[in-house]
């Protein structure tokens, strides 16, 4: 029952409401609990924080009409099983990173988290809201019975943690490295041995020597995992996830049972969560990196020839999927939007930030 109906029925009085025979069932339909499965353990910084924020926003904006019960990775289904669980109706919603499903479901999903050499967080939301991204996400969702919205963004993700310095592209040969998505495919094309390990298992995989290195999210989230305890070298510039979006996806049949105002709440909560999450990353990563350095982490950047190898591999990894018509259309849409956005931000924000840094360095 929405609040307006409640007030109207209250004004009529209990007897009148009971006489219509509508009040009780309408109220019963008004409060729903939806089950959300996720791909990380409870309490994982940035990733789980975004799921919790989304849930809190939906609950508060709906005045309690919609309650979302979160089941972390492994509680109902495994980290990478959430897509099938929601598509099949086993769970109502998932909160995850859609690139986990690029290989198993449809390669178009890579673009709704991140592709190598792709969109920054700001470029992602510009494409999604104003460049056709949201409509393409929905087109993919129709294939699998999902209604999807991006709901979180990690910001730029570092190249990751290594147990040795990477001084040239040759140093990537044979390296056992954790990197998911199309970025992982690209890294594999440079000669590395790429594995996809769920977030909750990265620390152990590094500690046991099962992998030589790993990327996760960024200083704030990586510090929480303790990756500084098992690797010495941290490369902060990364090619694989320039601004990874997270997604809240609902079973489409469940979505269609929601009222228009409840649907608007879900979409608005997702949009707000993307904004909140991107700013959470950007606000916390600088201080977290300083703490990592204080613990002995060596912070480095890849040399140009490594970036050149990444760029070539990224193009090849993308090109491998171009026989899929929808993939090709999503790629063209995102690349055109990013190029257009950057044509402005590079000569406005980019110039300003460079000049501000130059002036402040010279003048204190
Ligand atoms: Ca990552």
């Amino acid at each position: 029952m929405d609040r307006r109906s409640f007030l109207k029925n209250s004004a009529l009085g209990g007897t009148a409401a009971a006489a219509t025979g509508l009040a009780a069932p309408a109220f019963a339909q008004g409060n729903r609990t939806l089950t959300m499965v996720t791909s990380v353990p409870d309490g994982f910084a940035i990733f789980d924080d975004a799921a919790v924020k989304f849930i809190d926003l939906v609950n508060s904006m709906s005045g309690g009409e919609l309650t979302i019960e979160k089941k972390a990775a492994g509680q109902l289904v495994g980290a990478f099983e959430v897509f099938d669980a929601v598509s099949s109706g086993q769970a109502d919603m998932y909160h995850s990173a859609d690139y986990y499903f690029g290989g198993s479901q449809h390669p178009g999903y890579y673009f709704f988290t991140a592709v190598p050499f792709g969109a920054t967080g700001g470029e992602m939301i510009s494409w999604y809201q104003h460049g056709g991204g949201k409509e393409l996400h929905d087109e993919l969702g129709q294939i699998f019975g999902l209604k999807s919205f991006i709901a979180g963004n990690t910001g730029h993700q570092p190249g990751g943690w290594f147990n040795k310095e990477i001084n040239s592209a040759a140093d990537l040969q044979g390296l056992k490295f954790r990197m998911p998505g199309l970025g992982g495919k690209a890294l594999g094309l440079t000669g590395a041995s790429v594995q996809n390990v769920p977030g909750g298992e990265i620390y152990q995989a590094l500690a046991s020597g099962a992998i030589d290195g790993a990327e996760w999210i960024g200083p704030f989230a990586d510090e929480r995992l303790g990756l500084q305890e098992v690797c010495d070298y941290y490369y902060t510039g990364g090619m694989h996830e320039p601004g990874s979006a997270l997604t809240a996806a609902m079973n489409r049949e469940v979505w269609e049972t929601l009222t228009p105002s409840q649907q608007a709440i879900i979409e608005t909560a997702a949009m707000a969560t993307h904004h909140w999450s991107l700013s959470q990353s950007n606000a916390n990563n600088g201080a977290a990196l300083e703490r990592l350095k204080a613990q002995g982490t060596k912070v480095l950047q890849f040399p140009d020839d490594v970036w050149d190898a990444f760029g070539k591999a990224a193009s090849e990894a993308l090109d491998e999927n171009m026989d899929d018509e929808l993939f090709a259309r999503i790629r063209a849409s995102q690349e055109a939007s990013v190029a257009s956005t950057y044509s402005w931000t590079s000569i406005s924000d980019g110039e300003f930030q460079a000049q501000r840094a130059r002036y402040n360095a010279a003048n204190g």
Side-chain angles (χ1 to χ4, degrees):
M1 171 183 277
D2 66 34
R3 273 166 292 195
R4 201 175 309 153
S5 305
F6 179 79
L7 291 171
K8 190 176 160 196
N9 284 335
S10 298
L12 286 170
T15 307
T20 64
L22 295 172
F27 192 82
Q29 286 168 10
N31 291 290
R32 297 183 63 176
T33 299
L34 303 169
T35 301
M36 172 193 272
V37 287
T38 80
S39 296
V40 293
D42 289 326
F44 263 38
I46 306 293
F47 206 137
D48 189 58
D49 290 345
V52 170
K53 184 70 181 175
F54 173 80
I55 288 167
D56 288 348
L57 285 169
V58 169
N59 187 277
S60 59
M61 284 198 282
S62 72
E65 275 185 20
L66 297 176
T67 300
I68 297 174
E69 189 179 351
K70 178 161 67 79
K71 300 281 190 191
Q75 288 183 352
L76 187 63
V77 296
F80 299 143
E81 294 164 4
V82 300
F83 188 102
D84 281 337
V86 176
S87 183
S88 69
Q90 183 187 1
D92 299 309
M93 299 191 75
Y94 71 72
H95 186 267
S96 186
D98 267 351
Y99 69 171
Y100 290 147
F101 318 116
S104 60
Q105 307 290 346
H106 193 287
Y109 276 112
Y110 290 126
F111 293 97
F112 296 92
T113 302
V115 296
F117 273 65
T120 65
E123 289 162 353
M124 170 64 79
I125 196 64
S126 296
W127 171 60
Y128 199 81
Q129 294 295 347
H130 303 283
K134 188 173 86 167
E135 292 74 15
L136 288 162
H137 207 187
D138 197 54
E139 189 172 336
L140 270 175
Q142 288 181 41
I143 300 171
F144 298 96
L146 298 173
K147 186 73 182 178
S148 304
F149 299 102
I150 58 173
N153 196 303
T154 68
H156 180 90
Q157 296 205 9
W161 297 87
F162 295 78
N163 58 13
K164 64 174 186 178
E165 287 192 34
I166 303 300
N167 295 314
S168 75
D171 290 335
L172 300 171
Q173 298 297 314
L175 199 70
K176 288 181 289 179
F177 199 87
R178 182 267 179 191
M179 184 181 283
L182 214 53
K185 299 258 188 233
L187 186 64
L189 292 171
T190 70
S193 172
V194 177
Q195 304 181 29
N196 193 8
V197 178
E201 298 169 24
I202 296 172
Y203 182 95
Q204 188 53 38
L206 285 166
S208 71
I211 52 177
D212 302 317
E215 67 76 60
W216 174 230
I217 288 180
F220 184 63
D222 295 4
E223 176 191 37
R224 192 85 65 88
L225 285 200
L227 301 186
Q228 68 278 13
E229 298 164 11
V230 282
C231 283
D232 292 335
Y233 302 96
Y234 198 25
Y235 284 78
T236 54
M239 60 89 183
H240 60 301
E241 302 191 53
S244 290
L246 304 171
T247 287
M250 184 177 283
N251 178 284
R252 212 168 175 97
E253 289 178 14
V254 174
W255 168 261
E256 283 162 4
T257 66
L258 299 182
T259 65
S261 67
Q262 289 170 340
Q263 291 178 347
I265 285 167
I266 295 286
E267 182 171 355
T268 304
M271 219 184 324
T273 300
H274 187 278
H275 177 72
W276 181 88
S277 172
L278 180 58
S279 55
Q280 183 197 22
S281 284
N282 286 333
N284 287 290
N285 278 335
L289 187 65
E290 290 306 311
R291 291 192 296 271
L292 292 172
K293 284 194 228 173
Q295 293 176 62
T297 296
K298 296 176 187 66
V299 176
L300 300 167
Q301 300 290 5
F302 296 122
D304 286 353
D305 93 296
V306 171
W307 282 98
D308 292 344
F310 284 158
K312 181 168 175 287
S315 291
E316 288 172 16
L318 285 157
D319 289 347
E320 282 178 0
N321 298 282
M322 287 298 280
D323 57 349
D324 184 283
E325 183 274 334
L326 182 52
F327 177 96
R329 202 150 37 86
I330 296 170
R331 180 185 184 182
S333 171
Q334 189 180 76
E335 287 183 351
S337 175
V338 168
S340 176
T341 299
Y342 185 70
S343 75
W344 168 241
T345 58
S346 58
I347 58 169
S348 54
D349 300 59
E351 173 65 7
F352 167 71
Q353 287 178 316
Q355 291 294 349
R356 183 177 59 186
R358 188 188 62 79
Y359 179 83
N360 287 342
N363 297 281

